[in-house]
Every structure is written in structure tokens, then in C-alpha cells.
């Protein structure tokens, strides 16, 4: 018996030891399969302007589509000499070469090996100098591509360049010195007094938060108020846009601020400037600065039921689980998850950390989007844009990740690469990114919506040519509605896709009616119904759709609202949170004409659910408005655990190679760029120009050609070819619209029977499109007069249509007047009209402008 007991104990001991050994081996194998994200390995290049570094360039692992790369620009003097500085970070670049390409990417102008360079091993730098061949045109932008072999890979660096035969053409040094002096002066209260003359301090400025400061803020706000800035890094200076008079710059740097408890915090700061040079002085056209706390999850960031995010974006991205037991948030381009119940916080993603904090990882040309959070703290998220380091270093695309809270690991599910710029990729990710519970990820790319299977990395295009359609996307991204813009009776129905099931349903209007998608209120579809017979054209020839009914339908097809008022019709609707604002017209029963009516609103009867953890703002005497997350339950800063997840390693590739089919007749795309990068992608040039006008930006098209530029206006200009053509002529014998169109076409050497075309029912847009077949016709309805004058500045006439059906041509301007050609005037058809009076005149008539761009002609 005793021997049996001993034998049993022996067997149990062996079993326990075996389990422990196997567990240890398993743990070792698991450890071997995870690792921290690898460090950045690429060198960076800075261009030298008068010996000072500008336009830091980051390396790309693949060849990019030049026509979609906007980025920075470098002006080059008449000797066509370029100097550059490379930070090596321990690398040994080989085969340095440069290429010059046309901005549309269709032609290689030059490819030359760089032989004049020297390395400094002690400093870890390389200095190079090279001269472009005499193959480029003056004052024309090109793309410079610098190639280097690094660690066996060819790495490319991109920047636009513009050469001038006149070294004083762009006044680069003067503009740069102004920006650097302004920047330095903000840190010195005495020197800051010199800045007051450049600011436009008024009620538009928000002086309650340092998160966003602009040209309208107070001088005290611009000079950092009472913040105790103990240090700041030297700024990275980027030239984002430059022309003869105007230029745009961006400065990126960090500041350290110490509070009254002696706690030092680091903040990312970005400044943007737009300036105009004149022989008398430099004018500040626009200034913006953002300040964003670099959250570290330290003990000082927790206080009872509050998580302190200090000076941050009050609209920061946060998503919590259904029960509020866990929430994820993005701070300074880094993603965190906090488990409220067990008080654990993990930094799930971020290229920058205390160990990886050089110029490469601090470059924020990427964005994070939270897709889902569950009660256990598991998170699905995506990172889009340029990848600073890691497996996809130097690549551009979209990565979908999954965080497993149980084992504290982050796993890549799929990577969709792109050869368009990171700014465009981020803009599309902002438009649509949704993952359902079946591991299907939906994204927009180019002209279509794609579904990617996150398990086997297969893909398919589920909505083709969506940019050619009138489409809307719900708040979560789970619902998409679209309607074709062409084809017989295209407006008779709309298509609705549920991304959770991939089911497509069709909503069809009654016979004789049309249906129009308006958008989503939350996840509920809003659309309008109208009679075909009620459609009419405005003065620009654009159709107006008076809707007799506005309906709201939930995802299950139930009608929640049917708005209808007799003899009242809705011509436009804007959805804002839980309210729909309706622009209406009234039908006069006698005249059968529509007249403007008061706006109306539809309010949602459903109250928005308050989250368990919410983003709030609080006031601090010194820091002003700060951002906090009010927690579901209190936390003890001494017991919060900060975890650092490992990344799961895998063999092979998880790349998704989407091959896009080029469809004919796709609409022209317009890209609006502001001082901080791309602000929007549009198919409507009026919307693109209006957006750029508001942010002091520029608009380019699919060929990287300028369509519109803010502020690059001469003091005066007049299209003399048109002025001379009408001198002494009586134009009143034909309609004013006919005369204006004739003159626009004659200005391009084209003769058409415009009057006959108008009688046949052709619109102004159709006549210009058919007559100027190679031109881009720009319908700028709703844009400001000042925006329209930029085309007159390029000797391109602008047609303005009036509410009474008449038309005039704008053919000139100066500081005080516009020059207008009015065919209905028998004498003095060309005359000056006061600028303010002109603005009022065209505003009263709806700012109905139309113009064009001929091939190889831009607004530069």
C-alpha cells in the first residue's frame, strides 16, 4: 500500500513537472512569436535653402504616382543648383540618383547620378549638391525624385520644384525669414509686441483654448498666455505652396510646459502661415496653430473620476464598449485602451514613443481610426497613410489591426497598399472605413467601395464607380446609399447597402416620380420624393428638384417620418446631428412659379444615448480650456497599470493587392489642399474652390494641375482681346447670354452658332463643354466674386448669370473695381463697377459663375 502511494505521488510529480516544462516551452514559443514594432531604418533628406534646412523628405518603399503627390515645394535659383542634407541614422546609402518628372507623371525629363556628395561619419550625415540640366521651363512646377539604395532596397524621396530665371521672383528668403521671426517672437513677450500689426484680432478669435490659435486670436494668446514653456524643439519647416506674391509654410515642433505642481508635459505643435510679399512689406494672410498633449498615461494624468488630456482636441476620437467597461481613444496620433473595471491601460499603437522619438517617428502623415471596442477591451482599428516604421516602413496604405486584451497583443489582419499620396489615402479612410462582425472590412479607394475579407485577404468591389454617383454614408459607416447620375430614369430609384450583411435593397419611386438621397440621421436613411413634371432649371441651366415629401426610414425598412406640406416643396436639406434643416419654395397656384419660403426643421424624437465615459472640457486658469474623459468609475492613479502590447509576428504576407479597373467617363476629381495638407476630395469644382477659399488653400486636379489658388492675384488685369473685340460694336441685337458665350469661344479661336444651340435647349455648360472639348468647364455657382477673379487674373473670362436670365462677362479688375462687359448696353458695354457694389450685385443673383481651363493652362 505504501509503495502504491509513493508510486502515485511520483506519477503526479512527474505530471506536474511535465505541465510546468511544457508551459514554459509554450511561453517561450509565444514570446518568440511576438515582438515590439521594429525601429525606423530609412534616412531622411532635408533640402537646403540658403544654407538652412527646409522640406524634410521621408523615404518611400515603392514608386508613387507622381500626379497624386503634392507635398512640399522647393524654389530653385537661375543656376538650377540644388543642395541637400541627409540624416543617415547609421545607414550607408548607395547609388544616389535624381529624376525630374512632369507634374502629371507622364514624362521623365531627366535622370542623373549624384556624384558630388560627402559623408560625415561622426555627425551621421551626408551633404550633396547637384545641378539640373537646361531641360525645364521657367516658373513651371516639376516633381523631383531622389533615389537611394538603403539596406538593399531602393528608397525614393519626392518634392515639387519650380525653377525661375529671376532669383527675386519668389522672394523665398524674405518669406522664410518672416515666418521664422514670427515663430521665434511668440516665445518672447517683448518681441511679440511687434506681431500685433500682423494679426487680425477680432471676435472670430477663440481665446478660451490653446488647442487652436489663429490670426484672429489676441496677441497674448498667440504668445502663449501664461503657460510656462520651459523648452521647445527647433521647428521642421515645410514650404507647402509658393508663387510670385504668396507662399504657405508649415512648422512642426514640440514644447514642454511645466504646471504649478512642477509636472512637465510635452505637446505637439503645428503652425501654418500664408503670407504675401510686396516691395513695401510682407503681409500675414493667415496663421493657425494647434497644440496637442502627448499623453503618456502617467500617474499625473489620472485624478479620481477624470482622465486628464490637458490641452487637446475637444473633438478627439473616442469609442467605448456597449456597457462602458472599456473605451479606446486617440491622443496625438497614438491609440490607447482603458479597462475601467480592472484599471488597466494599454498603448495599442503609435509610431512615436520615448525610445523612438526622432524626426522619422514624429512625422504625422498617418491617422488612426477606431472600428470597434468590446467589454473585454478588445479593439479593432486601422492605421492609414504613411508608415513611419515597422513591417511596412516607407509604404503608403491602410492596415487593419486587432488588439487581444487577454494576451495583450496586436495583430495585423490586412494591409492594403497604395501608390497615391498618404494624404489621399487618409482622406478616403476618413470618408469610409467599417468592419463588421463577419471580419469584412469596407473601404473607399478611387472610384469604388471595396470589401476585404480579413481572414483570407480576398477582396471584391461591392459598389463600382461610386464617385460618379450621388452617394451618402451613415455616421458609423455601416450603411451606404447611392444613386446613379446618368442613364434612363436613373433617378427613379436609390440603392441602399447594409455593410453588416452586404445586402443591397432598392427603394423605387412611384410612376411619374423621382427619388433623391439626402443622407443619414444616425443610421436612419433620409430621402426625398418629387414629381418629374416639377423639375425646373436655374439660371445656370442646372436642374432644381422640388421635393414634395421628405421621408426617414430605419435600416429595417420602417418609415419613421413622412414630411409633407401642401404647396410647399423642399429644394435642399442639411442634416446636423438630430435636426434636418429644410430649404423650401412655395408654388404659386396662379402663376405656377416657385418663390422662396421660410426654412423648416425636422427634429429627431430619439434622444442620443449618453455614454458611460464621456469627453468633457474643463477650465484652468493658466491652461484655459482643457480636455478630460469623465470615467464611469473612479481610478486610483497609483494602481493603474500601463501595458505595452507586443506585435504578433507572422510568416509570409498579409498584403491585399487591389487591382483597380480604369473606367471611362469617370468624373474629374478636385483635391483641396490647405496649410496642413489635404482638406477634401470633390467632384464639384465649386465645392472644392469654396473650401479652398475658406482655408486659404489651393485646388489641383487629377493631373496635379492647379485649378485655383488663394491670394495669388495681381493688383489689376483686363482681358484686352475681348475688350478690343467689342469696342464700337452694338451687342444688343442678340441675347446677352448668346453674346457672352460667343465672346468666350472667340477668345479661344472658336466660332459656333450659339444662338441656335440655345434655342435647341442646350445649357451654358453643355455649349461650353461641346465647343471647348479639351477644356475643363468649371461651374462655380455659389463661389465668391474674389474666387472667380482668379480666372480673370489668368486672362480667362468669367460668365455671370443673373436671376432675370441675362448674362454679363467679367473681364477685368483692379483694387477698387471690376471690369464688366454687359451686351445689353448699346453703348459703353465695357465699364468699371465698384468692387463692393459688384459683390452685392452678384450675391443677390446667386453668384452664378462659370468659366473654364484649357489644356496645359492652370491658375498658377
Amino acid at each position: 500500500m505504501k509503495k502504491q502511494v509513493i508510486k502515485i505521488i511520483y506519477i503526479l510529480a512527474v505530471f506536474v513537472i511535465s505541465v510546468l516544462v511544457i508551459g514554459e516551452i509554450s511561453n517561450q514559443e509565444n514570446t518568440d512569436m511576438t515582438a515590439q514594432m521594429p525601429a525606423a531604418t530609412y534616412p531622411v533628406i532635408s533640402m537646403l535653402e540658403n544654407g538652412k534646412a527646409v522640406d524634410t523628405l521621408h523615404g518611400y518603399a515603392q514608386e508613387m504616382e507622381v500626379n497624386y503627390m503634392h507635398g512640399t515645394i522647393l524654389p530653385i535659383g537661375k543656376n538650377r543648383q540644388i543642395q541637400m542634407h541627409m540624416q543617415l541614422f547609421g545607414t550607408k546609402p548607395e547609388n544616389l540618383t535624381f529624376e525630374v518628372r512632369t507634374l502629371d507623371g507622364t514624362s521623365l525629363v531627366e535622370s542623373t547620378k549624384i556624384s558630388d556628395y560627402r559623408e560625415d561619419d561622426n555627425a551621421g550625415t551626408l551633404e550633396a549638391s547637384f545641378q539640373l540640366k537646361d531641360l525645364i521651363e521657367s516658373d513651371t512646377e516639376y516633381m523631383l525624385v531622389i533615389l537611394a539604395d538603403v539596406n538593399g532596397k531602393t528608397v525614393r524621396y519626392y518634392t515639387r520644384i519650380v525653377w525661375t530665371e529671376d532669383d527675386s521672383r519668389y522672394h523665398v528668403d524674405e518669406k522664410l525669414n518672416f515666418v521664422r521671426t514670427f515663430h521665434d517672437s511668440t516665445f518672447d513677450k517683448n518681441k511679440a509686441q511687434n506681431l500685433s500689426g500682423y494679426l487680425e484680432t477680432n471676435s472670430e478669435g477663440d481665446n478660451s483654448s490653446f488647442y487652436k490659435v489663429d490670426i484672429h486670436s489676441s496677441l497674448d494668446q498667440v504668445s502663449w498666455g501664461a503657460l510656462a514653456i520651459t523648452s521647445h524643439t527647433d521647428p521642421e519647416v515645410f514650404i507647402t505652396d509658393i508663387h510670385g506674391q504668396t507662399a504657405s509654410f508649415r512648422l512642426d515642433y514640440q514644447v514642454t510646459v511645466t504646471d504649478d505642481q512642477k509636472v512637465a508635459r510635452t505637446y505637439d505643435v503645428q503652425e501654418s502661415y500664408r503670407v504675401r510679399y510686396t516691395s513695401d512689406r510682407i503681409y500675414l494672410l493667415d496663421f493657425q496653430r494647434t497644440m496637442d498633449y502627448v499623453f503618456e498615461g502617467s500617474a499625473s494624468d489620472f485624478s479620481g473620476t477624470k482622465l486628464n488630456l490637458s490641452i487637446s482636441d475637444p473633438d478627439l476620437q473616442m469609442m467605448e464598449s456597449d456597457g462602458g467597461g472599456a473605451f479606446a481613444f486617440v491622443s496625438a496620433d497614438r491609440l490607447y485602451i482603458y479597462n475601467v473595471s480592472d484599471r488597466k491601460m494599454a498603448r495599442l499603437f503609435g509610431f512615436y514613443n520615448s525610445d523612438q522619438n526622432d524626426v522619422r517617428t514624429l512625422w504625422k502623415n498617418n491617422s488612426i481610426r477606431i472600428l470597434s471596442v468590446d467589454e473585454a477591451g478588445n479593439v479593432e482599428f486601422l492605421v492609414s497613410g504613411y508608415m513611419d516604421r515597422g513591417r511596412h516602413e516607407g509604404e503608403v496604405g491602410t492596415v487593419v489591426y486587432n488588439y487581444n486584451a487577454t494576451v495583450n497583443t496586436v495583430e495585423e489582419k490586412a494591409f492594403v497598399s497604395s501608390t497615391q499620396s498618404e494624404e489621399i489615402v487618409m482622406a478616403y479612410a476618413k470618408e469610409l472605413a467599417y468592419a463588421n462582425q463577419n471580419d469584412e472590412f469596407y473601404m473607399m479607394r478611387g472610384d469604388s467601395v471595396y470589401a476585404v475579407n480579413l481572414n483570407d485577404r480576398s477582396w471584391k468591389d461591392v459598389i463600382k464607380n461610386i464617385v460618379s454617383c450621388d452617394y451618402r454614408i451613415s455616421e458609423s459607416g455601416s450603411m451606404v446609399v447611392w444613386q446613379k447620375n446618368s442613364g434612363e430614369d436613373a433617378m427613379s430609384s436609390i440603392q441602399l447597402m447594409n455593410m453588416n450583411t452586404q445586402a443591397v435593397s432598392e427603394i423605387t419611386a412611384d410612376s411619374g416620380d423621382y427619388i433623391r438621397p439626402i443622407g443619414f440621421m444616425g443610421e436612419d436613411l433620409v430621402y426625398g420624393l418629387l414629381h418629374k413634371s416639377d423639375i425646373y432649371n436655374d439660371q445656370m441651366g442646372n436642374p432644381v428638384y422640388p421635393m414634395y415629401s421628405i421621408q426617414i426610414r430605419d435600416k429595417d425598412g420602417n418609415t419613421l417620418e413622412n414630411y409633407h406640406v401642401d404647396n410647399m416643396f423642399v429644394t435642399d436639406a442639411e442634416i446636423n446631428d438630430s435636426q434636418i434643416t429644410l430649404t423650401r419654395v412655395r408654388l404659386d397656384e396662379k402663376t405656377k412659379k416657385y418663390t422662396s419660403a421660410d426654412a423648416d426643421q425636422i427634429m429627431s424624437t430619439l434622444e442620443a444615448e449618453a455614454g458611460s465615459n464621456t469627453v468633457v472640457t474643463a477650465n484652468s486658469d493658466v491652461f484655459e480650456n482643457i480636455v478630460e474623459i469623465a470615467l464611469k468609475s473612479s481610478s486610483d492613479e497609483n494602481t493603474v497599470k500601463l501595458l505595452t502590447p507586443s506585435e504578433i509576428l507572422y510568416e509570409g504576407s498579409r498584403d491585399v493587392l487591389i487591382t483597380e479597373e480604369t473606367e471611362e467617363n469617370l468624373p474629374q476629381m478636385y483635391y483641396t489642399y490647405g496649410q496642413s495638407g489635404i482638406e477634401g476630395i470633390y467632384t464639384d469644382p465649386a465645392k472644392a474652390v469654396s473650401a479652398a477659399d475658406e482655408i486659404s488653400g489651393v485646388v489641383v486636379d487629377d493631373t496635379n494641375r492647379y485649378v485655383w489658388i488663394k491670394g495669388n492675384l495681381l493688383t489689376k488685369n483686363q482681358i484686352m482681346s475681348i475688350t478690343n473685340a467689342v469696342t464700337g460694336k452694338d451687342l444688343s441685337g442678340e441675347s446677352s447670354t448668346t453674346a457672352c458665350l460667343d465672346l468666350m469661344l472667340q477668345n479661344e479661336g472658336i466660332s459656333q452658332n450659339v444662338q441656335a444651340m440655345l434655342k435647341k435647349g442646350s445649357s451654358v455648360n453643355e455649349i461650353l463643354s461641346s465647343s471647348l472639348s479639351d477644356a475643363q468647364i468649371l461651374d462655380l455657382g455659389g463661389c465668391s466674386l474674389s474666387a472667380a477673379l482668379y480666372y480673370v487674373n489668368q486672362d480667362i473670362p468669367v460668365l455671370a448669370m443673373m436671376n432675370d436670365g441675362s448674362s454679363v462677362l467679367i473681364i477685368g479688375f483692379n483694387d477698387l473695381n471690376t471690369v464688366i462687359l454687359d451686351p445689353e448696353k448699346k453703348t459703353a458695354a465695357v465699364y468699371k463697377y465698384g468692387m463692393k457694389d459688384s459683390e452685392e450685385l452678384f450675391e443677390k443673383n446667386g453668384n452664378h459663375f462659370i468659366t473654364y481651363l484649357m489644356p496645359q493652362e492652370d491658375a498658377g
Side-chain angles (χ1 to χ4, degrees):
M1 183 71 178
K2 185 176 181 180
K3 289 183 178 181
Q4 289 179 338
V5 172
I6 293 174
K7 187 175 181 180
I8 292 172
I9 293 173
Y10 174 77
I11 293 172
L12 288 174
V14 171
F15 174 77
V16 171
I17 292 172
S18 300
V19 169
L20 291 174
V21 170
I22 293 171
E24 180 64 23
I25 293 173
S26 298
N27 287 335
Q28 289 176 358
E29 289 177 349
N30 185 62
T31 301
D32 290 340
M33 293 175 63
T34 64
Q36 296 301 307
M37 183 190 298
T41 63
Y42 288 1
V44 297
I45 294 175
S46 295
M47 312 310 293
L48 297 181
E49 170 58 41
N50 199 16
K52 295 183 179 180
V54 297
D55 294 348
T56 299
L57 308 180
H58 296 256
Y60 290 82
Q62 73 268 56
E63 186 173 359
M64 307 299 290
E65 294 179 77
V66 167
N67 54 306
Y68 293 114
M69 300 291 286
H70 195 68
T72 58
I73 186 168
L74 178 71
I76 300 172
K78 61 182 179 182
N79 62 0
R80 303 187 304 283
Q81 194 76 23
I82 295 177
Q83 293 180 316
M84 72 178 205
H85 169 88
M86 180 179 280
Q87 291 178 259
L88 300 178
F89 296 104
T91 62
K92 290 286 185 181
E94 298 177 332
N95 300 323
L96 289 171
T97 307
F98 75 86
E99 297 176 347
V100 177
R101 296 181 176 272
T102 54
L103 213 55
D104 62 5
T106 59
S107 299
L108 174 64
V109 179
E110 179 182 358
S111 177
T112 304
K113 190 176 182 65
I114 300 174
S115 56
D116 182 10
Y117 66 89
R118 60 189 179 278
E119 291 186 51
D120 186 334
D121 291 335
N122 293 327
T125 60
L126 180 150
E127 308 287 336
S129 177
F130 53 91
Q131 186 178 40
L132 306 186
K133 294 178 182 178
D134 189 12
L135 300 173
I136 57 177
E137 296 182 12
S138 179
D139 301 319
T140 300
E141 291 187 12
Y142 293 85
M143 186 65 69
L144 173 68
V145 187
I146 300 172
L147 299 88
D149 289 344
V150 180
N151 299 327
K153 299 179 181 178
T154 300
V155 182
R156 293 173 170 83
Y157 302 81
Y158 294 83
T159 184
R160 289 174 292 136
I161 57 173
V162 59
W163 167 66
T164 178
E165 295 177 292
D166 180 5
D167 282 344
S168 62
R169 159 98 169 127
Y170 293 106
H171 305 284
V172 186
D173 291 339
E174 293 93 334
K175 294 171 183 175
L176 276 170
N177 288 337
F178 172 85
V179 168
R180 287 189 172 108
T181 300
F182 189 104
H183 164 79
D184 292 340
S185 298
T186 63
F187 296 102
D188 186 315
K189 288 292 185 182
N190 292 325
K191 292 181 180 179
Q193 297 301 315
N194 299 323
L195 305 180
S196 59
Y198 297 105
L199 300 177
E200 300 174 9
T201 303
N202 56 32
S203 58
E204 293 182 33
D206 180 5
N207 296 310
S208 66
S209 171
F210 287 108
Y211 166 69
K212 190 168 186 179
V213 175
D214 60 27
I215 194 171
H216 302 296
S217 301
S218 68
L219 177 62
D220 184 62
Q221 197 79 357
V222 171
S223 57
W224 304 96
L227 293 177
I229 297 179
T230 55
S231 66
H232 58 87
T233 61
D234 292 332
E236 296 285 334
V237 179
F238 302 90
I239 308 173
T240 57
D241 189 46
I242 194 160
H243 304 279
Q245 298 178 67
T246 61
S248 295
F249 304 89
R250 190 181 82 243
L251 276 62
D252 293 347
Y253 59 100
Q254 289 186 326
V255 299
T256 300
V257 181
T258 303
D259 64 17
D260 55 0
Q261 301 298 315
K262 305 302 180 183
V263 175
R265 290 183 170 88
T266 300
Y267 299 81
D268 288 334
V269 183
Q270 185 175 98
E271 294 176 351
S272 60
Y273 299 80
R274 188 162 181 82
V275 301
R276 175 188 286 130
Y277 174 89
T278 69
S279 57
D280 298 326
R281 57 168 288 186
I282 290 181
Y283 292 88
L284 182 64
L285 302 178
D286 194 22
F287 167 74
Q288 294 183 32
R289 184 178 72 209
T290 57
M291 182 179 182
D292 202 5
Y293 175 47
V294 181
F295 178 82
E296 295 287 357
S298 58
S300 59
D301 292 327
F302 293 86
S303 177
T305 58
K306 299 292 177 64
L307 181 62
N308 180 20
L309 297 176
S310 190
I311 300 169
S312 295
D313 183 356
D315 295 322
L316 66 84
Q317 184 184 172
M318 190 194 85
M319 181 184 292
E320 66 177 353
S321 59
D322 290 340
F327 64 87
F329 65 97
V330 178
S331 173
D333 289 340
R334 300 195 294 184
L335 174 63
Y336 292 84
I337 179 72
Y338 182 63
N339 194 307
V340 180
S341 58
D342 59 17
R343 298 172 183 172
K344 289 182 180 179
M345 173 168 283
R347 184 191 300 141
L348 307 188
F349 193 90
F351 290 117
Y352 160 79
N353 60 39
S354 57
D355 297 323
Q356 306 291 328
N357 60 351
D358 58 49
V359 65
R360 298 170 296 179
T361 56
L362 288 171
W363 195 45
K364 292 183 172 57
N365 259 24
N366 40 69
S367 61
I368 299 171
R369 183 160 175 177
I370 306 166
L371 299 175
S372 65
V373 181
D374 67 19
E375 277 296 299
N378 301 314
V379 183
E380 197 163 29
F381 63 97
L382 68 84
V383 179
S384 60
Y386 177 91
M387 305 299 153
D388 294 349
R389 61 187 178 100
R391 174 183 284 264
H392 300 290
E393 180 181 5
E395 294 185 76
V396 172
T398 300
V399 194
V400 180
Y401 289 103
N402 181 268
Y403 170 67
N404 187 318
T406 303
V407 292
N408 193 34
T409 57
V410 172
E411 181 180 5
E412 176 184 319
K413 303 297 290 184
F415 173 67
V416 184
S417 64
S418 175
T419 52
Q420 294 185 339
S421 75
E422 59 273 13
E423 294 175 309
I424 292 176
V425 170
M426 287 189 289
Y428 281 129
K430 186 177 180 180
E431 183 78 359
L432 174 62
Y434 183 76
N436 63 26
Q437 294 184 350
N438 299 320
D439 281 338
E440 293 171 328
F441 170 65
Y442 295 87
M443 61 179 293
M444 184 176 289
R445 175 173 166 144
D447 63 325
S448 299
V449 173
Y450 294 89
V452 177
N453 186 303
L454 298 177
N455 294 318
D456 60 14
R457 262 72 66 183
S458 62
W459 61 271
K460 60 181 177 180
D461 47 351
V462 293
I463 307 177
K464 292 185 177 181
N465 305 330
I466 192 169
V467 296
S468 306
C469 303
D470 186 9
Y471 72 92
R472 307 288 189 276
I473 301 171
S474 69
E475 184 177 348
S476 71
S478 67
M479 305 289 288
V480 178
V481 63
W482 71 97
Q483 182 177 67
K484 293 182 179 180
N485 281 334
S486 60
E488 186 176 356
D489 287 335
M491 291 176 56
S492 296
S493 64
I494 57 177
Q495 311 294 315
L496 180 68
M497 176 177 280
N498 186 329
M499 299 299 190
N500 290 309
T501 62
Q502 214 171 112
V504 177
S505 57
E506 184 176 43
I507 304 175
T508 305
D510 293 338
S511 177
D513 280 6
Y514 279 155
I515 184 171
R516 298 282 289 168
I518 294 174
F520 290 88
M521 181 179 282
E523 302 305 302
D524 298 327
L525 173 65
V526 183
Y527 61 91
L529 298 171
L530 64 144
H531 301 305
K532 294 181 186 179
S533 57
D534 289 341
I535 300 174
Y536 63 96
N537 290 338
D538 64 13
Q539 298 302 319
M540 291 290 285
N542 298 319
V544 178
Y545 304 102
M547 295 172 282
Y548 65 82
S549 173
I550 303 297
Q551 300 199 6
I552 303 176
R553 176 184 292 203
D554 67 17
K555 62 182 179 181
D556 296 321
N558 303 308
T559 300
L560 306 178
E561 176 73 32
N562 184 0
Y563 174 91
H564 170 79
V565 178
D566 290 343
N567 292 328
M568 298 289 279
F569 299 84
V570 177
T571 57
D572 193 18
E574 182 178 348
I575 303 174
N576 188 7
D577 295 329
S578 60
Q579 176 178 295
I580 307 175
T581 301
L582 308 175
T583 301
R584 304 188 303 170
V585 294
R586 178 183 290 105
L587 177 64
D588 189 308
E589 290 289 351
K590 293 183 179 180
T591 63
K592 299 299 180 182
K593 291 184 177 181
Y594 296 97
T595 58
S596 296
D598 293 338
D600 201 0
Q601 291 83 33
I602 300 176
M603 303 295 295
S604 174
T605 57
L606 299 175
E607 294 185 7
E609 294 183 9
S612 301
N613 307 277
T614 57
V615 178
V616 298
T617 57
N619 185 263
S620 167
D621 290 339
V622 174
F623 287 76
E624 298 182 352
N625 282 350
I626 61 173
V627 177
E628 298 174 336
I629 297 180
L631 304 177
K632 177 181 179 180
S633 59
S634 62
S635 63
D636 183 350
E637 60 270 23
N638 296 317
T639 62
V640 174
K641 297 178 183 178
L642 183 61
L643 307 177
T644 302
S646 294
E647 185 175 327
I648 292 180
L649 304 179
Y650 58 88
E651 295 181 355
S653 170
R654 294 187 177 178
D655 292 4
V656 178
L657 303 176
I658 293 179
T659 54
E660 300 174 69
E661 295 182 5
T662 302
E663 300 284 347
E664 296 181 359
N665 302 319
L666 289 178
Q668 176 66 252
M669 304 296 287
Y670 299 94
Y671 306 87
T672 297
Y673 288 89
Q675 278 66 60
S676 299
I678 200 165
E679 296 290 341
I681 303 175
Y682 305 89
T683 56
D684 183 350
K687 291 181 179 178
V689 169
S690 293
D693 194 11
E694 186 175 342
I695 61 173
S696 298
V698 301
V699 179
V700 300
D701 64 13
D702 281 317
T703 64
N704 225 345
R705 174 177 67 163
Y706 284 107
V707 173
W708 188 86
I709 299 169
K710 175 76 171 184
N712 196 40
L713 200 66
L714 300 173
T715 56
K716 61 181 179 179
N717 190 50
Q718 186 167 342
I719 307 174
M720 296 309 300
S721 58
I722 294 180
T723 304
N724 296 332
V726 300
T727 301
K729 291 186 178 180
D730 183 359
L731 304 176
S732 60
E734 55 186 358
S735 75
S736 58
T737 301
T738 299
C740 287
L741 286 171
D742 274 332
L743 290 168
M744 293 178 82
L745 297 178
Q746 290 170 18
N747 191 53
E748 299 298 335
I750 295 173
S751 179
Q752 289 277 26
N753 189 343
V754 173
Q755 189 170 5
M757 297 172 76
L758 286 171
K759 286 184 177 179
K760 289 182 179 179
S762 295
S763 69
V764 170
N765 289 34
E766 290 169 341
I767 293 172
L768 289 175
S769 295
S770 62
S771 303
L772 303 174
S773 57
D774 294 330
Q776 282 188 46
I777 308 305
L778 303 174
D779 184 339
L780 302 178
C783 292
S784 65
L785 172 62
S786 62
L789 290 179
Y790 283 89
Y791 299 95
V792 182
N793 188 65
Q794 304 298 315
D795 288 333
I796 305 171
V798 175
L799 185 146
M801 301 191 74
M802 305 301 175
N803 291 337
D804 63 2
S806 64
S807 300
V808 300
L809 275 187
I810 307 172
I811 60 171
F813 65 89
N814 58 30
D815 287 339
L816 302 175
N817 304 286
T818 59
V819 181
I820 293 176
L821 188 158
D822 186 351
E824 292 191 348
K825 291 183 178 291
K826 292 185 178 181
T827 59
V830 176
Y831 61 94
K832 292 181 179 179
Y833 200 56
M835 188 63 72
K836 288 187 176 179
D837 292 334
S838 298
E839 290 174 351
E840 292 179 1
L841 171 67
F842 293 123
E843 283 179 5
K844 288 179 180 178
N845 285 273
N847 280 344
H848 288 160
F849 303 121
I850 188 167
T851 187
Y852 58 88
L853 281 177
M854 295 299 292
Q856 303 304 317
E857 185 175 54
D858 61 35

